[in-house]
């Protein structure tokens, strides 16, 4: 159900109430297949330029995904951290994984290290939060902030970029965090 890469990778999972237990660090990788769908262009792309105070939605992102990004950044700014920039490849990874979880009706991290490796610019540090069944972005981000491991990912000062994907009804949501190599 969970996967991890030693201490450099933070992974947690969360379902709508009742909440599931967060993933333990270093848990064995799942047998779930990693979804395809990260294009070569997305792997090499630089982050989109959108500010935390920007209006509207991020190009290529749904309203729900944009709001999760915006609310996540509000929490980071409230904690005195820099906002996360949207990242095309991380968004592709998150969207593909949310689609896979929806198809298989299974909340998990699967083989997260293999999935995020497709983002060649994000190699230094990565993390993931997943969730299922929340009706609104505000409800979802509030639940993540109440969970110590999810909160840790959201407020990790090493992260600079974020991709969000959501699919289904009820919705499966993935947040994929990253720090670009060399920074």
């Amino acid at each position: 159900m969970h996967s991890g890469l030693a201490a450099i990778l933070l992974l947690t999972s969360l379902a709508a109430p009742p909440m599931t237990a967060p993933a333990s660090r270093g848990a064995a990788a799942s047998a779930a297949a990693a979804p395809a769908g990260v294009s070569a262009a997305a792997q090499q792309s630089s982050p989109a330029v959108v500010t935390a105070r920007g209006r509207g939605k991020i190009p290529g992102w749904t309203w729900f995904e944009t709001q999760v990004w915006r609310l996540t950044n509000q929490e980071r700014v409230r904690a005195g951290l820099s906002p996360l920039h949207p990242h095309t490849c991380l968004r592709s990874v998150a969207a593909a994984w949310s689609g896979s979880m929806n198809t298989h009706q299974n909340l998990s991290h699967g083989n997260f290290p293999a999935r995020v490796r497709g983002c060649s610019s994000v190699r230094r540090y990565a993390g993931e939060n997943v969730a299922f069944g929340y009706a609104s972005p505000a409800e979802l981000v509030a639940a993540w902030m109440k969970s110590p491991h999810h909160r840790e990912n959201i407020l990790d000062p090493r992260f600079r970029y974020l991709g969000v994907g959501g699919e289904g009804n009820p919705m499966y949501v993935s947040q994929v965090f990253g720090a670009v190599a060399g920074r």
Side-chain angles (χ1 to χ4, degrees):
M1 179 155 157
H2 308 286
S3 62
L5 281 179
I8 63 167
L9 184 62
L10 303 174
L11 299 177
T12 55
S13 64
L14 182 67
M19 291 172 59
T20 62
S24 62
R25 303 205 195 293
S30 166
V38 178
S39 71
Q43 291 175 24
Q44 301 300 325
S45 70
S46 19
V49 179
V50 179
T51 66
R53 292 180 183 83
R55 298 288 179 229
K57 87 179 183 66
I58 300 167
W61 294 36
T62 67
W63 175 87
F64 194 100
E65 294 162 350
T66 300
Q67 293 307 308
V68 168
W69 169 80
R70 192 176 316 284
L71 292 166
T72 297
N73 276 335
Q74 285 177 4
E75 294 295 342
R76 287 179 61 86
V77 169
R78 186 176 296 134
L81 299 169
S82 299
L84 299 169
H85 300 284
H87 192 277
T88 304
C89 185
L90 295 178
R91 194 282 171 173
S92 294
V93 169
W97 189 245
S98 293
S100 178
M101 289 190 300
N102 181 54
T103 297
H104 296 98
Q105 298 291 291
N106 182 32
L107 181 67
S108 73
H109 289 290
N111 190 351
F112 177 67
R115 288 186 287 116
V116 80
R117 233 177 257 125
C119 296
S120 61
S121 65
V122 182
R123 294 190 183 259
R124 189 164 180 213
Y125 192 75
E128 178 179 60
N129 288 342
V130 296
F132 168 75
Y134 286 89
S136 73
E139 183 182 311
L140 171 58
V141 173
W144 275 335
M145 291 303 291
K146 290 177 186 171
S147 167
H149 292 290
H150 297 91
R151 180 183 180 89
E152 185 177 350
N153 275 346
I154 289 170
L155 299 181
D156 191 318
R158 294 170 285 196
F159 292 137
R160 297 288 183 255
Y161 301 99
L162 177 65
V164 179
E167 187 171 317
N169 186 13
M171 191 173 299
Y172 285 86
V173 181
S174 302
Q175 274 188 321
V176 180
F177 303 87
V180 173
R183 293 189 187 170

